[in-house]
Amino acid sequence: MSNTPPADILGMPPAPDGSSEPMARPWLVAGDATTGFYRSPADNPNDPVAVEAYSWGQLTSGARAAKDVERALWTLLLPFTLANVALHASPEIPADPRQERWASRPGITAWLVRLFCLSLTVTFVLAAAGLGVDLIGWQCVDRACLKQIPGPWEFLGTGWWSESTHPLAVGLLLPLTLLAVVGLLTWRTYQYEAEMPAAPADPADRPLDNPLQDPTFWCGEGQVRRLAALHLATGAAVAAAVPLGAVIISEPLVGARAAVGWPAAAALGASVVLAAAALGHPYATRRSGDTPVGRYGTVIVCLALLGVVGTFLVLLLPDVPAGSRLAGLRPPPGCATDATIAGCGQDRSLPGYEALIAWLSSFQVLLLIAVAGVARTGRWALCPPIMAALALPLGHLWATDRLPGTTPPPSYLRTWMVTGVVVALAAAVTLLLPRHPTRPPERPPDRRTAMAWGGRGPAVLAGLGWLLTVSYSVGVLYWAANRLNHGTAPGGLPPVTLPVPVLWAGPAFVVALLVAAGVAGRAWLLFAGLRRRCLAELFHQAGELSAHERRRARDVASFRALHRLVGGHALRLVGRLTTAAVGLAAAGTVAALAGLRPQPRSPDAWAMAVKAAVDVGASLAGLLPVLIAGVGLLVYRNDSVRRAVGVIWDVGTFWPRSAHPLAPPSYAERAVPQLQTRTTGLLALPEQDPRRAEAIVLSGHSQGAVISAAVILQLPSRWRRRVWFFSYGCQLTRLYGRVFPAYFGPDRLPAVAATLTGPSDQPRWTNFWRETDPLGWPVGAGERQIPVRDPEALHPRDGEVRDPRSAATAATPNPRNTSSNARPWSRRCSPARFPSRAVPARPPPTPPNPPRPRPSGWSHEASRHAEQIGDRVISSVVDSVADVTMSISITLDDDLGAELNAAVAGSNRSALVAEAIREYLDKRAIADATAWHATLDGEDAAAFADFNAAW
């Protein structure tokens, strides 16, 4: 199983013209062109072992034209993806979702993460409202400014549309339109309903030991629809609240405006409050359920629609006879050409918009602190953030001398001092609390498999999503203001001014980039040190080396160093970077709350440095969405880019959208149930059906190993007894196990091995790994760990000539390659693309001797012996395949050895492995089994005789 093309998985040779296309197309035996099961047309349908490749690559790659554009748009939703993944990074998730309660520690953590995801949607909407309502509808007042907007928008500068609050109504269409586009883009789903063969329930399937065993885990279409309704309704309500709030706080509503405006404001506020409360209700938390929004969601959506309609009516109704006081707050026309006009050179941004952004950012900072505290410590860690949330507005009012009944603050006290102390104390008290797990760990802690970021994983991932959302918003607003100001950078007070929180994000982004450069430098130093130590080990073990071997040793040392860097240091570096960046964003939020503008008018050096930081930071933030979208286009077109960033995208879109419905869809919601249906369908066929599979080996590489583990946990116990699992390039320990401990941690991952344990107690999970695989490690919960060999023959480069000694060695069959002079890097992962084993879905041609039905004397005892035989055969095959090298490690006859050497020479690795297994089953295993059968007596011999007759 892999997300690579099926021809590559099957190891089919390429066309002789040198193109990447195979000589023959693989045979689609089940599924469709998007996700399907394939077989090689060269396979013999009468072979006892059938090789099928399952590829889900079309879910994430697909065709070039339309799919590339859609994928680029999905990459722009990366902040929502990270926030959605944060929910699954919680260390305390009950194995059975029915045991989760809102007031419990997992329930509160999930509600806080979903609430933070809702605030990210609000941030996205506020950025769009700032562009349409504030910059265009409010501050762009003359034709010279409106000409800079693509399209026929100059009508907003003259006539009826330029009067009073009418331009705000036109500007409100922009956030509502963008919200509708994002909703339509993410409304699609990869849902695939698993079809299980009918059979009575097995008591062994309960109780659940892992959340991935929940039958509804991959059936979340209804939950996505319900959460999407809440997010879209909240986004529309917040977008309408921006212009409506400006009208309410600037002038008293009278007459028709009061009759419409106040009910509209109440409807908008009620929809937001109810949506926030619904995130902790089973309406939003349960995975199963009908797709329709339901009565609860319908009420919220209707309230939001009523508020939006009322807002448009308020903005379009005529003014009172005395005129609108709000209109007098708009910038006067002509400031772009004549700065001496009365009213120019002042901050004329939309009333209330800056305060809304600043307080939302403060709320998000406290919410992140609460998520980190509850996930790590427990419910009582909510106390510091709650106290800070109450003290922050009171302290702000007191510092600005607006709190009635209190003494005025000292003259030296500034607002940022009060707000900064409150936020810093809340963060220090919460984040420094000791960790208190709900239950003691079953195994002693190991730093290599311990929880990432000290149990604060949800806060780290959500913080990364927040930082990207803020960067996107700042970049878009900066470039829009720069264009509306005729290319003049927003320094000083230009005609179109940006909100103060947006200006503070520029310097914070510059400092964050410097911190990122420092973290990257630290990573390079670690890599260099690890590479130096690995190279010293290789040279010490190998002795005298040729030029080609020295170059090969350097390459192997580099990959071993990368293997150790990713497994031991990468997550810690990411945590440090995120913590520093969130701290900088919090500092900018505190400054914005104080109303400090990072563009002082004094022409000193400090003021110029601050202005330069604002301009440079905002410009770079504007390039970030374009850069990420470009990377999204290249991920599945360029192998180098794919290896570098593809793993992040695969991890992000693996998890279902249980927290943020506007994130890109999860491919696993189709891949896991589809593979589950295929596996159980083949195992449940009647005994006389030639398509029936006696046993299936799920063989997954990298992300395919994760999907295989998820499928195994979903399989009923009656089918798991005939399933084996091969994993390689496995990320279940150092990556998934540390970031998602509730699913793959040291206490939960053994559930995979436990589900594969049969009556014979033979190991049925084998993990292959090598030290030069950056993303593959041993799995402690696996029943068998096999370190495999790296490639011996690397291609020369830079004019080098292949070492004759190495060339001669590669051309000569070496039965076991266990000689003492073998180089320490001559190790190869031979089953690196070992596909899954099953029989074809389409009926093959009828064999000359069709299988006979099992005799009436067939018993469970015979079935048990059959499983023991199968265990011994598979174990022998695993032992032998693990020793396959470039020089053919399995002892074979001359003809077959020549064929396998030819397969190796053509890089047909899958053909090598499949042929080796067939040969072993046909000759070696039968001989061993015959010797073992001779030792049977009594009932065992009788059971085997029945089995042998049926076989």
Side-chain angles (χ1 to χ4, degrees):
M1 289 162 289
S2 176
N3 61 351
T4 53
D8 294 344
I9 307 175
L10 293 172
M12 298 174 60
D17 57 1
S19 63
S20 59
E21 295 295 329
M23 296 180 61
R25 291 186 177 274
W27 176 29
L28 178 66
V29 297
D32 52 33
T34 303
T35 57
F37 299 84
Y38 297 85
R39 291 193 65 195
S40 172
D43 287 352
N44 186 349
N46 296 323
D47 284 348
V49 177
V51 179
E52 284 190 3
Y54 177 64
S55 176
W56 69 89
Q58 293 297 317
L59 292 179
T60 47
S61 57
R64 287 295 175 94
K67 287 285 185 181
D68 281 355
V69 175
E70 185 178 9
R71 185 170 59 251
L73 293 176
W74 279 350
T75 56
L76 294 178
L77 302 178
L78 180 60
F80 297 163
T81 303
L82 293 172
N84 179 70
V85 172
L87 176 66
H88 302 284
S90 176
E92 302 286 347
I93 298 178
D96 192 340
R98 297 174 300 179
Q99 299 177 357
E100 181 176 310
R101 300 293 182 267
W102 181 88
S104 65
R105 178 174 174 177
I108 294 178
T109 303
W111 179 69
L112 292 174
V113 171
R114 290 191 175 99
L115 190 60
F116 188 84
C117 290
L118 185 65
S119 73
L120 291 188
T121 301
V122 172
T123 302
F124 165 78
V125 171
L126 282 181
L131 176 59
V133 179
D134 183 19
L135 300 186
I136 296 177
W138 178 258
Q139 298 189 52
C140 203
V141 294
D142 52 20
R143 297 174 62 90
C145 178
L146 294 171
K147 284 182 180 180
Q148 306 301 320
I149 308 174
W153 299 103
E154 299 180 24
F155 71 93
L156 292 176
T158 58
W160 183 82
W161 285 107
S162 63
E163 299 174 358
S164 185
T165 57
H166 301 162
L168 301 183
V170 179
L172 181 58
L173 295 176
L174 178 61
L176 296 179
T177 302
L178 290 179
L179 200 62
V181 170
V182 173
L184 291 176
L185 179 65
T186 57
W187 194 258
R188 63 172 298 183
T189 178
Y190 287 144
Q191 191 69 27
Y192 181 90
E193 295 295 337
E195 299 177 3
M196 302 296 298
D202 193 334
D205 294 332
R206 294 283 179 172
L208 304 182
D209 298 320
N210 192 300
L212 292 177
Q213 292 177 298
D214 176 22
T216 67
F217 189 86
W218 303 107
C219 305
E221 184 177 5
Q223 184 186 39
V224 172
R225 299 290 190 258
R226 295 188 291 269
L227 286 175
L230 298 181
H231 279 248
L232 295 176
T234 303
V238 172
V242 172
L244 182 61
V247 173
I248 291 176
I249 65 178
S250 300
E251 59 184 8
L253 298 180
V254 295
R257 282 193 169 186
V260 177
W262 289 115
L268 294 178
S271 64
V272 174
V273 173
L274 290 177
L279 295 176
H281 192 270
Y283 168 85
T285 60
R286 70 177 187 271
R287 298 285 298 157
S288 60
D290 297 332
T291 299
V293 174
R295 291 179 296 179
Y296 197 92
T298 302
V299 171
I300 297 175
V301 171
C302 290
L303 287 174
L305 290 177
L306 289 175
V308 170
V309 173
T311 300
F312 275 108
L313 291 176
V314 170
L315 298 178
L316 297 177
L317 284 174
D319 295 332
V320 295
S324 174
R325 288 165 39 185
L326 181 64
L329 301 177
R330 296 187 69 188
C335 290
T337 56
D338 186 4
T340 61
I341 299 177
C344 294
Q346 301 178 11
D347 184 2
R348 295 279 185 158
S349 58
L350 186 68
Y353 181 63
E354 290 184 355
L356 183 59
I357 296 178
W359 283 107
L360 174 65
S361 301
S362 304
F363 168 75
Q364 290 172 323
V365 171
L366 295 178
L367 199 54
L368 279 178
I369 296 173
V371 170
V374 176
R376 175 178 170 82
T377 306
R379 293 176 295 179
W380 58 285
L382 278 175
C383 296
I386 291 177
M387 295 176 63
L390 297 175
L392 197 59
L394 296 177
H396 184 270
L397 292 175
W398 176 69
T400 56
D401 199 14
R402 290 183 295 173
L403 186 64
T406 59
T407 59
S411 58
Y412 62 85
L413 191 65
R414 300 291 183 267
T415 306
W416 64 267
M417 298 180 183
V418 178
T419 55
V421 169
V422 171
V423 174
L425 284 177
V429 174
T430 304
L431 300 182
L432 295 180
L433 290 174
R435 168 165 167 73
H436 289 286
T438 304
R439 57 182 181 181
E442 299 178 2
R443 291 170 175 79
D446 182 359
R447 65 178 183 85
R448 295 173 297 180
T449 58
M451 284 187 295
W453 309 303
R456 306 181 187 93
V460 172
L461 294 175
L464 283 174
W466 179 53
L467 293 173
L468 283 179
T469 304
V470 171
S471 301
Y472 283 9
S473 304
V474 169
V476 169
L477 291 176
Y478 171 83
W479 287 108
N482 191 29
R483 183 179 182 88
L484 296 177
N485 286 321
H486 309 285
T488 303
L493 287 177
V496 177
T497 60
L498 288 170
V500 172
V502 174
L503 294 177
W504 274 111
F509 192 77
V510 171
V511 179
L513 289 179
L514 296 177
V515 174
V519 173
R522 172 60 177 166
W524 173 255
L525 292 177
L526 289 172
F527 172 76
L530 292 171
R531 182 177 181 271
R532 188 165 51 251
R533 287 193 291 271
C534 292
L535 193 59
E537 294 172 2
L538 293 175
F539 284 166
H540 176 72
Q541 299 173 20
E544 182 181 357
L545 301 175
S546 66
H548 175 62
E549 288 174 332
R550 285 196 299 270
R551 193 271 300 174
R552 187 169 62 211
R554 288 192 293 270
D555 289 343
V556 171
S558 298
F559 279 99
R560 287 190 179 183
L562 187 60
H563 172 89
R564 299 177 185 181
L565 177 67
V566 175
H569 304 278
L571 293 179
R572 183 170 66 252
L573 294 175
V574 171
R576 292 176 180 177
L577 175 61
T578 305
T579 302
V582 170
L584 291 170
T589 299
V590 169
L593 277 178
L596 301 177
R597 181 173 290 274
Q599 292 180 325
R601 301 186 182 184
S602 57
D604 55 8
W606 173 251
M608 297 301 295
V610 172
K611 179 182 179 301
V614 170
D615 295 341
V616 173
S619 301
L620 294 176
L623 294 174
L624 187 61
V626 180
L627 176 62
I628 293 180
V631 171
L633 287 172
L634 293 175
V635 161
Y636 292 95
R637 286 175 173 260
N638 186 285
D639 290 339
S640 300
V641 177
R642 179 177 181 173
R643 283 191 296 267
V645 302
V647 63
I648 301 176
W649 190 252
D650 286 344
V651 172
T653 54
F654 170 77
W655 298 102
R657 293 175 288 179
S658 303
H660 206 305
L662 305 184
S666 166
Y667 64 86
E669 284 193 329
R670 174 166 179 167
V672 172
Q674 188 176 20
L675 188 58
Q676 176 187 0
T677 298
R678 177 66 172 164
T679 302
T680 55
L682 290 172
L683 294 173
L685 288 173
E687 298 174 4
Q688 296 80 11
D689 196 320
R691 298 169 299 172
R692 173 185 170 87
E694 292 296 335
I696 289 179
V697 179
L698 295 178
S699 181
H701 173 260
S702 189
Q703 194 69 16
V706 181
I707 291 181
S708 300
V711 171
I712 290 171
L713 289 172
Q714 285 281 313
L715 288 176
S717 59
R718 59 182 177 276
W719 308 123
R720 290 196 303 263
R721 299 187 185 101
R722 295 156 59 190
V723 173
W724 280 257
F725 180 26
F726 287 176
S727 60
Y728 33 87
C730 190
Q731 308 163 11
L732 291 176
T733 51
R734 305 292 178 85
L735 179 59
Y736 278 87
R738 299 189 62 190
V739 180
F740 310 106
Y743 301 93
F744 301 108
D747 296 338
R748 292 289 172 84
L749 190 58
V752 179
T755 57
L756 290 175
T757 302
S760 59
D761 292 331
Q762 291 292 328
R764 289 192 287 168
W765 179 8
T766 302
N767 178 60
F768 303 89
W769 67 280
R770 54 189 173 93
E771 293 183 351
T772 53
D773 188 352
L775 296 175
W777 298 278
V779 180
E783 297 175 314
R784 178 179 296 177
Q785 305 297 318
I786 299 182
V788 293
R789 301 182 175 182
D790 296 324
E792 288 186 9
L794 300 180
H795 296 290
R797 65 182 183 185
D798 300 332
E800 293 181 0
V801 178
R802 177 116 176 234
D803 182 23
R805 180 176 52 191
S806 298
T809 302
T812 304
N814 184 3
R816 290 291 176 180
N817 196 18
T818 57
S819 59
S820 59
N821 60 351
R823 300 302 184 191
W825 57 85
S826 341
R827 298 176 182 171
R828 181 177 188 276
C829 182
S830 56
R833 289 195 176 182
F834 186 76
S836 60
R837 332 228 126 254
V839 296
R842 299 178 182 175
T846 304
N849 297 316
R852 291 177 294 173
R854 290 176 177 175
S856 57
W858 179 266
S859 63
H860 292 288
E861 186 71 16
S863 176
R864 182 177 65 85
H865 286 288
E867 183 177 357
Q868 293 177 351
I869 295 172
D871 289 340
R872 287 176 175 264
V873 171
I874 292 296
S875 299
S876 301
V877 171
V878 171
D879 292 336
S880 301
V881 172
D883 292 331
V884 177
T885 66
M886 295 295 292
S887 55
I888 310 304
S889 312
I890 299 180
T891 304
L892 307 170
D893 56 62
D894 295 338
D895 294 337
L896 185 57
E899 294 176 2
L900 294 180
N901 279 326
V904 173
S907 299
N908 194 347
R909 300 176 181 175
S910 293
L912 162 67
V913 174
E915 195 68 28
I917 290 178
R918 293 188 185 101
E919 171 65 15
Y920 196 90
L921 285 173
D922 291 342
K923 296 184 178 180
R924 304 290 174 254
I926 293 177
D928 293 342
T930 302
W932 179 64
H933 299 161
T935 64
L936 301 178
D937 57 359
E939 295 181 358
D940 291 340
F944 172 73
D946 294 339
F947 167 79
N948 194 41
W951 186 266

